[in-house]
Amino acid sequence: MTASIAWQRRRAAANRVWAQFRTDRGGLVGLAVLCVIVLLAVLAPLITNSSGLDVTQATGGILKPPGNGFLLGTDESGRSVLLLLLWGSRVSLLVGLAATLLSVGVGTIVGVLMAHFGGWTQAVLMRVTDFFLILPSLVLAAVLSTVLTPGIGSIIIAIGATAWPTTARLVRSQTLAVESRPYIERSWALGAGHLHVIGKHVLPAVAPLVFANTTLNVANSIITESTLSFLGLGDPNSPSWGEMLHNALQSGAVTARAWWYLLPPGVAIGVVVLAFMMCGRALEAVLNPRLRER
């Protein structure tokens, strides 16, 4: 009975969040754009032929402009730029989402531990967090991606291992605010343990802000992945938008004025990042009471 009441309250809260989110036109536009891009990325194996990614089976000319069956032209190997763009969306979105989940997970754990236990635990974790904050995240990610075995997994670990400190500080401040409330003191007085307080009270209270921060971190993760791939530190066997820009630069597409090779991946990165930012700002305004009052 208690579980049923809890689920009813959660559904009611989710309905309120959705009703408030719908009032933000920018958030709705961003959500619609993301739905279309995710749908195309998921359906790419069904609506396209992956054999066209193999340079040995390329049927187009070198850096040919749009036309003759190639809506966005061809690359330096004669492959369809549109095909690379669709399959690149899968890699870019996968890395962005996975790296964000990793960084948010680590940041949430560290932030909760710092605020909940305090003392020497907070002192040690704060020093570690500050150490990662002062380091240039892009440089550190580049070093990690170079040291680790090349691949998508290495890029995810490199980005996730450098992006968690901001989430940790956000969760720490929110956890301190939650644990200062009277019902937490009542839980301690009734004999609640650390796991009960964290699992039943702290995490549900900080989850909304963490979720809103996650959407914003995805945009940063996609930019970082694209930057690493553009610098030649990505997985050369997996097409991504950053890898397309890297190959375009290396193949002389700039001097050849092959705009159809340079513009699509750049625009795709900008559109996806903007869409995530719009959704994140809308969610932050809904879930953050101070912003909602404004």
Side-chain angles (χ1 to χ4, degrees), residues 149-234:
T149 304
I152 296 178
S154 300
I155 298 177
I156 293 173
I157 294 175
I159 298 175
T162 57
W164 62 267
T166 55
T167 302
R169 297 185 72 91
L170 174 66
V171 172
R172 173 183 174 272
S173 61
Q174 186 67 11
T175 302
L176 289 174
V178 171
E179 294 202 350
S180 64
R181 296 171 183 173
Y183 66 86
I184 299 294
E185 297 181 2
R186 289 195 295 268
S187 296
W188 288 118
L190 292 173
H194 294 291
L195 291 177
H196 177 84
V197 172
I198 293 176
K200 294 293 185 178
H201 300 298
V202 175
L203 288 180
V206 303
L209 286 181
V210 171
F211 180 69
N213 186 60
T214 299
T215 58
L216 298 174
N217 285 342
V218 173
N220 295 328
S221 298
I222 291 176
I223 292 177
T224 304
E225 184 277 329
S226 300
T227 304
L228 293 175
S229 297
F230 177 73
L231 295 176
L233 300 176

Side-chain angles (χ1 to χ4, degrees), residues 44-212:
L46 300 178
I47 62 178
T48 62
N49 187 2
S50 61
S51 62
L53 299 174
D54 189 354
V55 295
T56 61
Q57 299 186 26
T59 59
I62 298 176
L63 293 178
K64 292 297 182 180
N68 298 325
F70 296 95
L71 295 179
L72 292 179
T74 61
D75 67 349
E76 76 282 0
S77 301
R79 297 176 297 178
S80 171
V81 173
L82 179 59
L83 182 64
L84 293 172
L85 193 69
L86 289 175
W87 281 84
S89 64
R90 296 169 61 87
V91 176
S92 296
L93 290 176
L94 173 62
V95 172
L97 292 172
T100 299
L101 291 177
L102 177 60
S103 65
V104 169
V106 174
T108 300
I109 294 173
V110 173
V112 169
L113 292 179
M114 283 193 294
H116 181 78
F117 291 100
W120 66 268
T121 303
Q122 178 174 232
V124 172
L125 293 178
M126 280 293 292
R127 299 293 79 79
V128 175
T129 303
D130 293 339
F131 173 76
F132 277 91
L133 278 174
I134 63 176
L135 290 177
S137 58
L138 181 60
V139 176
L140 183 58
V143 172
L144 288 176
S145 61
T146 304
V147 173
L148 299 174
T149 304
I152 296 178
S154 300
I155 298 177
I156 293 173
I157 294 175
I159 298 175
T162 57
W164 62 267
T166 55
T167 302
R169 297 185 72 91
L170 174 66
V171 172
R172 173 183 174 272
S173 61
Q174 186 67 11
T175 302
L176 289 174
V178 171
E179 294 202 350
S180 64
R181 296 171 183 173
Y183 66 86
I184 299 294
E185 297 181 2
R186 289 195 295 268
S187 296
W188 288 118
L190 292 173
H194 294 291
L195 291 177
H196 177 84
V197 172
I198 293 176
K200 294 293 185 178
H201 300 298
V202 175
L203 288 180
V206 303
L209 286 181
V210 171
F211 180 69

